[in-house]
């Protein structure tokens, strides 16, 4: 009897411990952003929990099947760079990932999920899969989230809450202001925006993964993976799938093999995520109940299955079968690919004007993630969508300011996916997978810094977060000509983020660019002008158009109270891995000047606001 009582008490204690948990950082959504946020925050010392509704990590990367990376091929920033390196190890080389023409990096979703799960193994990180959100509340300075798993209710108490859902699901639940649909020109100042706002968002897609079974006669004889004709099937919906007229950005698609090879994956698989008379589908889900939304998702699935039926029967590719990529009854992904959802109203609002001319503003100084993809919107399936040539809005590669991750008027709450504070137009480029991985990593760094310093996320030092990200080999500025393996990478990123030495950005096809030109000479005048925003006392320094030499730097540092001892500098030159030979007669290049400024002057110690304004004592 005593044993029975003891076991009963033990069961109650154990049940209570399992039903309520306490962590520093709670992340709702284990997609690309949520996974990266969890990894970064855990590595930075915070106790972290991720609540994920599906059995997979990775969201659009894996659980939605969008396993062809869009953009950032030359910007392997932080966790995105780590993930790509693990993919290369798995498949054997970088070339083994370049199987389709849409991307340099294509992989099987199940492989990507296993890699992310391995990266997320950390003693500070707990993940609850198959967990459905029930409620969110803020009580006595703490967030409380209740979720259901296995038919039982559980709750977690956390200091910082992160919305990393695919659609900004938490924003209305926590009372955060948000934007939805297309913004009016009067609200954003964007010339390209419509005159009147609307609630139109981008088409979503239920991706499918097909597998070529032509080399296996036994599998080819079986019907598994062949799609039955869906109810309401209309071949006219897909009639132009194999033909697309040539344009400047997309190029010409002239046959069905080319269409299918768009998303060809390793191991003879094909990602079917085709925009031209393919499987995009429009749902105005914001106006629907949960039940209505699920019914619309069934229609979206049927539309994709109709496209597969069309491929197999009308086009004659019966050797391409639905692959057993996802452990689902219908062999389709766990979730659709949401290109757009609610967007938080943040401490900072990023518009296309900031992307087009970053140095006309100061937000670039607060950069925490980077992207290079064009502004790409999908609106073909909604006849009411305004005719806007989004793809013709030309921008260079860009960075995202820290303030877009911090919603207004909420305490210790962050966003970490496609729900950041950007305009509808800007969402067309910030929604892509590598950018969202970077957004998540930045959110994790902000959260961990807030926990360490016992601050609200809105009060965290921009520079402290940026330095944390640099230690993780993340980019603050999208300089494609200085890699994280370069010894000067951190110095160049710091000096570049301050705008002391500016980059040169251009729009370029499907991979926009920004160059630092590390080997280019720096003139005295250029350096002085770059430093004046932080050191106005340099105004009286004479600066010519000649190249900067050590003597000029020595004089400049002296004005700022830093003595530059030539003998000491010579000994430190090699320690700092400066590539130019030490010479007082040689004009210094941008890389050398960046290292010397960073090491001697430490200008990055000067704090800035979320708007990029210099904070003076």
């Amino acid at each position: 009897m005593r044993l029975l009582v003891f076991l009963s008490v033990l069961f109650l204690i154990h049940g209570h411990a399992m039903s309520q948990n306490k962590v520093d950082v709670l992340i709702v959504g284990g997609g690309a952003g949520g996974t990266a946020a969890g990894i970064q925050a855990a590595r930075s010392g915070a106790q972290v929990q991720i609540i994920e509704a599906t059995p997979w990590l990775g969201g659009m990367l894996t659980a939605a099947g969008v396993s062809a990376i869009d953009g950032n091929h030359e910007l392997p920033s932080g966790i995105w760079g780590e993930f790509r390196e693990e993919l290369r190890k798995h498949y054997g080389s970088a070339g083994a990932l370049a199987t389709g023409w849409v991307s340099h990096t294509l992989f099987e979703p199940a492989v990507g999920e296993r890699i992310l799960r391995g990266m997320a193994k950390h003693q500070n990180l707990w993940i609850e899969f198959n967990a459905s959100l029930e409620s969110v509340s803020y009580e006595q300075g703490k967030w409380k989230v209740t979720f259901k798993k296995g038919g039982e209710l559980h709750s977690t108490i956390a200091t910082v809450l992160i919305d990393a859902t695919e659609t900004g699901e938490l924003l209305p639940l926590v009372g955060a202001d948000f934007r939805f649909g297309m913004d009016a020109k009067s609200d954003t100042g964007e010339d390209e925006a419509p005159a009147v706002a609307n609630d139109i968002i981008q088409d979503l897609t239920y991706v499918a993964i097909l597998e070529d079974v032509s080399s296996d006669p036994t599998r080819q004889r079986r019907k598994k993976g062949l799609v039955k004709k869906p109810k309401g099937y209309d071949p006219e919906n897909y009639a132009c799938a194999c033909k697309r007229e040539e344009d400047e950005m997309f190029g010409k698609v002239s046959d069905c093999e080319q269409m299918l090879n768009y998303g060809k994956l390793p191991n003879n698989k094909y990602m079917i995520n085709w925009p031209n008379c393919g499987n995009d589908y429009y749902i105005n889900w914001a106006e629907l109940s949960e039940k209505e939304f699920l019914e619309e998702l069934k229609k979206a699935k049927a539309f994709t299955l109709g496209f597969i039926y069309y491929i197999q029967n009308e086009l004659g590719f019966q050797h391409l079968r639905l692959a057993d990529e996802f452990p689902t009854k219908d062999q389709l992904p766990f979730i659709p690919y949401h290109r757009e959802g609610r967007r938080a109203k943040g401490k900072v609002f990023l518009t296309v004007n900031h992307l087009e001319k970053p140095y006309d503003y100061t937000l670039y100084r607060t950069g925490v993630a980077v992207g290079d993809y064009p502004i790409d919107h999908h609106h073909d399936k909604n006849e009411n969508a305004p005719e806007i040539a989004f793809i013709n809005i030309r921008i260079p590669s860009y960075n995202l300011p820290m303030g877009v991750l911090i919603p207004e008027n909420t305490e210790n709450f962050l966003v970490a996916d496609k729900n950041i504070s950007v305009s509808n137009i800007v969402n067309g480029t910030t929604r892509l997978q590598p950018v969202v991985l970077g957004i998540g990593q930045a959110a994790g760094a902000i959260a961990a810094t807030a926990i360490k310093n016992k601050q609200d996320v809105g009060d965290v030092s921009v520079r402290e977060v940026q330095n944390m990200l640099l230690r993780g080999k993340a980019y603050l500025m999208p300089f494609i000509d200085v890699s994280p393996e370069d010894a000067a990478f951190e110095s160049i990123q710091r000096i570049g983020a301050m705008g002391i030495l500016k980059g040169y950005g251009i729009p370029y096809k499907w991979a926009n660019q920004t160059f630092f030109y590390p080997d280019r000479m720096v003139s005295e005048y250029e350096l002085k002008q770059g430093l004046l925003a932080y050191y106005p006392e340099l105004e009286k320094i004479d600066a010519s158009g000649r190249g900067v030499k050590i003597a000029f730097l020595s004089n400049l540092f002296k004005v700022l109270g830093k003595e530059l001892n030539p003998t000491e500098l010579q000994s430190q030159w090699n320690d700092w891995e400066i590539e130019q030979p030490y010479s007082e007669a040689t004009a210094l290049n941008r890389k050398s000047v960046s290292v010397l400024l960073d090491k001697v002057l430490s200008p990055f110690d000067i704090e800035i606001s979320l708007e990029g304004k210099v904070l003076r004592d």
Side-chain angles (χ1 to χ4, degrees):
M1 183 66 179
R2 287 180 180 178
L3 179 60
L4 182 59
V5 171
F6 172 77
L7 290 174
S8 298
V9 171
L10 185 63
F11 174 80
L12 289 171
I13 293 172
H14 178 70
H16 178 71
M18 289 296 290
S19 66
Q20 182 159 302
N21 190 27
K22 289 185 179 181
V23 294
D24 298 319
V25 180
L26 176 62
I27 302 167
V28 179
T35 302
I39 292 170
Q40 178 64 49
R43 288 176 179 176
S44 303
Q47 303 292 304
V48 187
Q49 184 181 45
I50 296 175
I51 296 171
E52 167 53 33
T54 76
W56 279 21
L57 284 179
M60 61 177 165
L61 273 171
T62 58
V66 192
S67 58
I69 295 296
D70 292 304
N72 284 32
H73 179 62
E74 295 187 82
L75 295 171
S77 179
I79 288 172
W80 150 233
E82 290 180 43
F83 176 64
R84 187 178 70 173
E85 185 59 32
E86 290 301 316
L87 286 170
R88 289 176 174 179
K89 288 178 184 177
H90 176 86
Y91 287 106
S93 68
L97 303 176
T99 45
W101 56 267
V102 70
S103 172
H104 297 280
T105 304
L106 300 100
F107 57 93
E108 297 157 281
V111 170
E113 199 277 337
R114 287 198 298 272
I115 288 173
L116 286 176
R117 195 177 288 239
M119 291 173 62
K121 285 185 178 178
H122 195 283
Q123 62 181 2
N124 293 341
L125 177 57
W126 297 269
I127 304 171
E128 295 287 350
F129 291 104
N130 298 305
S132 59
L133 182 67
E134 293 289 314
S135 66
V136 182
S137 61
Y138 190 68
E139 304 168 6
Q140 298 179 339
K142 298 288 183 180
W143 289 102
K144 181 179 180 180
V145 172
T146 302
F147 60 95
K148 186 177 287 186
K149 180 177 179 178
E152 295 184 356
L153 285 176
H154 304 263
S155 66
T156 297
I157 306 295
T159 301
V160 176
L161 177 64
I162 298 179
D163 181 354
T165 61
E166 300 292 321
T167 60
E169 185 179 343
L170 267 61
L171 293 172
L173 300 181
V174 303
D177 292 333
F178 59 88
R179 298 175 178 87
F180 187 84
M182 295 183 175
D183 310 294
K185 186 182 301 185
S186 58
D187 293 331
T188 66
E190 299 167 325
D191 290 338
E192 305 87 350
V196 180
N198 60 57
D199 63 355
I200 295 173
I201 60 172
Q202 295 191 60
D203 302 337
L204 56 75
T205 304
Y206 249 106
V207 174
I209 305 296
L210 302 184
E211 183 175 13
D212 187 346
V213 301
S214 58
S215 63
D216 188 339
T218 301
R219 291 183 65 188
Q220 202 166 6
R221 284 193 297 270
R222 296 169 59 197
K223 292 186 177 181
K224 185 177 181 183
L226 290 173
V227 172
K228 295 180 181 179
K229 184 188 292 187
K231 185 178 179 181
Y233 169 75
D234 182 356
E236 287 301 311
N237 287 326
Y238 318 106
C240 65
C242 297
K243 186 176 182 180
R244 182 181 177 111
E245 296 302 321
E246 186 167 10
D247 59 40
E248 182 182 357
M249 290 293 293
F250 199 87
K252 186 176 183 179
V253 177
S254 55
D255 61 53
C256 298
E257 288 280 358
Q258 186 183 8
M259 179 270 288
L260 291 167
N261 287 335
Y262 170 87
K264 188 175 182 181
L265 308 179
N267 292 324
N268 292 316
K269 293 179 181 177
Y270 295 80
M271 179 196 73
I272 306 301
N273 174 28
W274 183 243
N276 190 55
C277 293
N279 50 329
D280 284 4
Y281 194 86
Y282 181 73
I283 301 177
N284 189 357
W285 49 261
E287 296 183 354
L288 303 178
S289 66
E290 183 177 357
K291 183 179 179 181
E292 290 170 332
F293 179 48
L294 292 175
E295 286 300 314
E296 288 299 311
L297 285 183
K298 288 180 183 178
K299 295 177 185 177
K301 283 187 176 185
F303 196 78
T304 288
L305 292 173
F307 188 37
I308 305 307
Y309 181 87
Y310 182 84
I311 290 169
Q312 292 175 338
N313 295 278
E314 312 284 354
L315 302 182
F317 293 94
Q318 289 221 343
H319 60 289
L320 298 184
R321 308 290 179 84
L322 276 172
D324 287 326
E325 192 71 23
F326 311 98
T328 56
K329 289 182 180 179
D330 56 15
Q331 296 177 283
L332 293 179
F334 298 100
I335 58 174
Y337 173 30
H338 287 281
R339 293 181 175 85
E340 187 177 350
R342 304 174 186 91
R343 292 167 284 115
K345 289 188 176 180
K347 302 277 188 182
V348 164
F349 180 41
L350 189 72
T351 71
V352 77
N353 299 335
H354 298 116
L355 301 193
E356 289 173 332
K357 297 180 178 180
Y359 294 116
D360 286 1
Y361 308 90
T362 55
L363 290 180
Y364 74 89
R365 296 175 178 172
T366 74
V368 290
V370 295
D372 66 5
Y373 206 69
I375 293 172
D376 182 26
H377 279 242
H378 288 228
H379 290 291
D380 288 347
K381 298 302 169 68
N382 185 350
E383 61 184 19
N384 296 317
E387 291 288 336
I388 300 174
F390 292 100
I391 203 69
N392 292 330
I393 302 172
R394 311 304 298 276
I395 59 170
S397 52
Y398 60 86
N399 68 4
L400 292 176
M402 182 167 135
V404 302
L405 279 69
I406 308 173
E408 294 178 316
N409 306 320
T410 52
E411 295 182 26
N412 274 326
F413 178 64
L414 295 166
V415 288
D417 207 272
K418 296 176 284 284
N419 50 359
I420 59 172
S421 180
V422 297
S423 71
N424 165 265
I425 291 178
V426 171
N427 169 259
T429 178
T430 59
R431 65 180 174 83
L432 283 312
Q433 309 99 312
V435 182
V436 173
L437 285 169
I439 290 167
Q441 185 169 6
I446 297 168
T449 304
I451 293 298
K452 185 187 76 170
N453 296 336
K454 298 181 179 179
Q455 295 174 295
D456 184 87
V457 294
D459 298 326
V460 166
S461 160
V462 174
R463 294 303 189 215
E464 189 172 355
V465 170
Q466 289 177 317
N467 276 323
M468 181 182 288
L469 291 169
L470 285 174
R471 290 193 293 273
K473 296 187 175 182
Y475 288 63
L476 310 179
M477 299 295 292
F479 300 146
I480 64 172
D481 50 354
V482 184
S483 77
E485 286 66 46
D486 194 306
F489 174 76
E490 289 192 26
S491 293
I492 287 172
Q493 285 287 316
R494 292 188 187 101
I495 299 306
M498 297 184 76
I500 294 173
L501 297 178
K502 293 179 171 64
Y504 297 82
I506 59 170
Y508 184 72
K509 297 183 178 180
W510 286 88
N512 299 314
Q513 300 172 337
T514 302
F515 293 88
F516 184 73
Y517 296 126
D519 299 322
R520 181 178 288 179
M521 182 200 78
V522 183
S523 75
E524 296 173 355
Y525 183 78
E526 177 189 8
L527 180 58
K528 174 186 171 180
Q529 292 304 116
L531 286 167
L532 280 176
Y534 302 93
Y535 303 101
E537 57 267 43
L538 295 177
E539 183 63 57
K540 294 181 180 180
I541 289 280
D542 292 326
S544 74
R546 296 187 182 89
V548 168
K549 296 181 181 179
I550 290 174
F552 179 80
L553 278 180
S554 181
N555 184 39
L556 184 150
F557 289 159
K558 187 174 183 179
V559 171
L560 300 175
K562 297 276 187 178
E563 292 290 339
L564 194 62
N565 185 305
T567 304
E568 188 177 312
L569 179 61
Q570 266 187 286
S571 67
Q572 291 173 319
W573 200 266
N574 291 333
D575 292 340
W576 292 339
E577 299 183 63
I578 298 176
E579 294 172 357
Q580 278 188 286
Y582 179 88
S583 170
E584 295 184 16
T586 301
L588 300 173
N589 62 31
R590 289 162 67 88
K591 178 185 284 190
S592 299
V593 170
S594 294
V595 174
L596 289 167
L597 289 174
D598 189 39
K599 300 295 186 182
V600 178
L601 196 57
S602 300
F604 211 62
D605 290 345
I606 298 173
E607 290 289 350
I608 57 171
S609 69
L610 288 171
E611 293 77 26
K613 304 297 184 184
V614 177
L615 298 175
R616 304 192 185 280
D617 294 336

